[in-house]
Amino acid sequence: MAERIRIKDIALKAGVSVGTVDRVLHNRPNVSAKAREKVEKVLKEQNYEPNIYASALAYNKSYHFCVLIPRHDQVAYWEEVEQGVKKAAEIRNDFNISMSIHYFDRFDIDNYFAEAMSCLDGKLDGMVIVPACFDLTKRVTDRLHEASIPFVLLDSYMPDLRPLAFFGQDSLASGYFAARMLMLLARDQQEIMFMKVTKNGKVVSKQQENREVGFRHYMRDHFPAVNIINVELPFDGNKQQYDAIFDEFFNEHPYIHHCITMGSKAHILGDYLLRNNRRDIQIMGYDMVKKNAECLKQGSVSFLIAQHGYQQGYFCVDALFKAVVLKKKIQTVNYMPIELLTPENVDFYRRFQL
């Protein structure tokens, strides 16, 4: 068994104090460049790997993280994100980490800001944020920067906000990929239905806006003659309203056979098609939520693009833990895989339990 290398041995070899070695190991300030160079040289020579977990436990310090996400009754996808968040906090329980989750209305600016500010009311060591529009989110992140509180962005990447890290899909690439997959089936079609769930003409997230940009970019480059017809569903609508919109649309466009949506609500149209025994229309959508999976299995949805909500939630909290508790350097941009689910492989798709 290799002999354990002690901090005082490192200090002796480098010709510095034990306190200086400790500051270098934990990347703390007040160390001269010359002293840091000496210590790092000895660390490299000795192949020293500090037990950062044991060190963090020894401090017996408590930490509080806050997570700001949309309400679940609005977007079912966020249920899985929250499960990942809670799991990450649970397995770090020995490090005295507490977690509070705040829910906001995606279409209520005042509510978003109020919930964000409530996170700052008490002790806060790190925050996970699902962004709203840039200017509003910046009001929140500016406060965090002023207080030197690290934050992780989830769902939409806004580099100008200078987050500790981002976890989510590359939205532009995802939309481009969705268009490519759709047109494998619809390459001979003259019209495509583009379904959006909106409120006051706006979709629910910047991520969906970016996906649409990627989708239209592909279509413009490869299928410029295809007519893309928008259908907007009211965010707070009901089944009767949606049915009336679909009835009118398909009466006016009887030759449309393919639909795409950039959000997790493909099942709204999928359910309509199943109830009306329509087998001539196929849908492509996002997210492995239960209702979407049921439509996929029953044939009214052709493809779903999965983005691993559970892992996103887990990784966001884990990044805060590593940065705040373990003082580790964190990779800033972390794109999740773009995975295609079909009726043939959906039963084999499993949330990766971390």
Side-chain angles (χ1 to χ4, degrees):
M1 183 176 178
E3 183 180 354
R4 182 172 176 270
I5 304 170
R6 300 172 299 177
I7 290 180
K8 70 177 185 178
D9 297 326
I10 299 295
L12 183 62
K13 288 179 180 293
V16 298
S17 69
V18 170
T20 297
V21 176
D22 184 72
R23 285 193 290 274
V24 172
L25 288 172
H26 294 91
N27 198 27
R28 296 194 183 102
N30 302 321
V31 180
S32 70
K34 186 175 181 180
R36 184 178 296 276
E37 183 180 351
K38 288 181 178 180
V39 172
E40 289 177 347
K41 181 181 178 182
V42 174
L43 291 173
K44 186 175 181 180
E45 290 173 350
Q46 299 296 317
N47 196 26
Y48 179 80
E49 293 185 2
N51 189 338
I52 52 179
Y53 283 86
S55 178
L57 282 169
Y59 280 113
N60 199 31
K61 183 180 176 182
S62 62
Y63 305 89
H64 182 72
F65 299 150
C66 185
V67 179
L68 183 66
I69 61 175
R71 292 175 183 162
H72 297 165
D73 57 350
Q74 295 179 326
V75 187
Y77 163 75
W78 295 103
E79 295 176 4
E80 197 164 335
V81 172
E82 182 176 350
Q83 290 172 8
V85 162
K86 290 180 175 178
K87 183 64 176 181
E90 176 189 327
I91 68 171
R92 307 299 189 191
N93 187 55
D94 289 344
F95 293 88
N96 299 315
I97 292 176
S98 61
M99 179 81 65
S100 61
I101 301 177
H102 293 244
Y103 308 96
F104 66 89
D105 185 331
R106 298 204 83 147
F107 294 104
D108 187 333
I109 292 175
D110 292 336
N111 174 257
Y112 181 90
F113 191 72
E115 290 296 332
M117 289 300 97
S118 68
C119 292
L120 290 165
D121 285 344
K123 170 180 164 55
L124 183 64
D125 296 290
M127 189 169 174
V128 177
I129 303 174
V130 174
C133 66
F134 177 82
D135 290 341
L136 178 58
T137 309
K138 188 174 185 299
R139 291 173 60 192
V140 177
T141 58
D142 281 350
R143 301 279 188 96
L144 292 169
H145 281 302
E146 289 170 6
S148 297
I149 298 172
F151 63 91
V152 176
L153 293 182
L154 171 62
D155 187 54
S156 298
Y157 183 38
M158 299 179 180
D160 290 344
L161 299 180
R162 296 176 290 126
L164 170 71
F166 161 75
F167 290 89
Q169 281 188 345
D170 181 331
S171 301
L172 292 171
S174 179
Y176 196 91
F177 173 79
R180 184 193 293 272
M181 294 300 101
L182 174 70
M183 297 314 292
L184 290 177
L185 298 180
R187 61 185 312 106
D188 297 325
Q189 301 299 304
Q190 297 180 343
E191 296 180 328
I192 298 292
M193 175 184 177
F194 192 98
M195 188 181 84
K196 304 180 185 181
V197 178
T198 65
K199 188 170 185 178
N200 299 324
K202 296 182 179 180
V203 295
V204 299
S205 73
K206 184 68 176 177
Q207 185 187 60
Q208 289 189 35
E209 291 179 11
N210 289 338
R211 288 173 182 165
E212 182 174 348
V213 171
F215 168 82
R216 292 186 182 275
H217 179 69
Y218 179 88
M219 296 300 293
R220 183 181 66 247
D221 288 351
H222 299 279
F223 294 90
V226 173
N227 186 23
I228 302 170
I229 304 174
N230 290 339
V231 175
E232 294 192 12
L233 305 181
F235 179 77
D236 51 0
N238 56 43
K239 183 180 291 187
Q240 289 71 31
Q241 289 175 296
Y242 295 151
D243 283 359
I245 292 171
F246 293 143
D247 285 342
E248 180 180 0
F249 178 84
F250 289 117
N251 284 334
E252 292 180 358
H253 304 278
Y255 299 110
I256 280 189
H257 299 290
H258 293 275
C259 168
I260 191 166
T261 181
M262 297 293 131
S264 61
K265 300 293 187 179
H267 61 83
I268 295 177
L269 178 55
D271 177 64
Y272 167 87
L273 297 176
L274 292 171
R275 285 187 285 107
N276 288 275
N277 198 28
R278 295 287 301 267
R279 300 291 178 178
D280 59 331
I281 298 167
Q282 293 293 303
I283 314 165
M284 183 166 191
Y286 277 78
D287 298 331
M288 177 56 177
V289 298
K290 183 178 180 181
K291 291 181 180 179
N292 281 347
E294 290 172 352
C295 289
L296 186 67
K297 290 181 179 181
Q298 294 181 68
S300 61
V301 170
S302 297
F303 297 132
L304 288 173
I305 295 179
Q307 55 178 328
H308 293 284
Y310 180 91
Q311 285 93 316
Q312 288 186 50
Y314 181 97
F315 289 144
C316 284
V317 175
D318 190 56
L320 287 177
F321 166 76
K322 289 176 178 175
V324 175
V325 181
L326 303 184
K327 313 300 182 186
K328 283 189 171 184
K329 184 176 176 60
I330 303 300
Q331 179 174 306
T332 303
V333 180
N334 304 272
Y335 286 127
M336 305 301 293
I338 301 171
E339 295 193 345
L340 193 68
L341 303 182
T342 70
E344 292 76 24
N345 71 356
V346 65
D347 284 336
F348 305 105
Y349 177 81
R350 293 288 184 270
R351 183 179 67 206
F352 180 44
Q353 297 283 359
L354 295 143

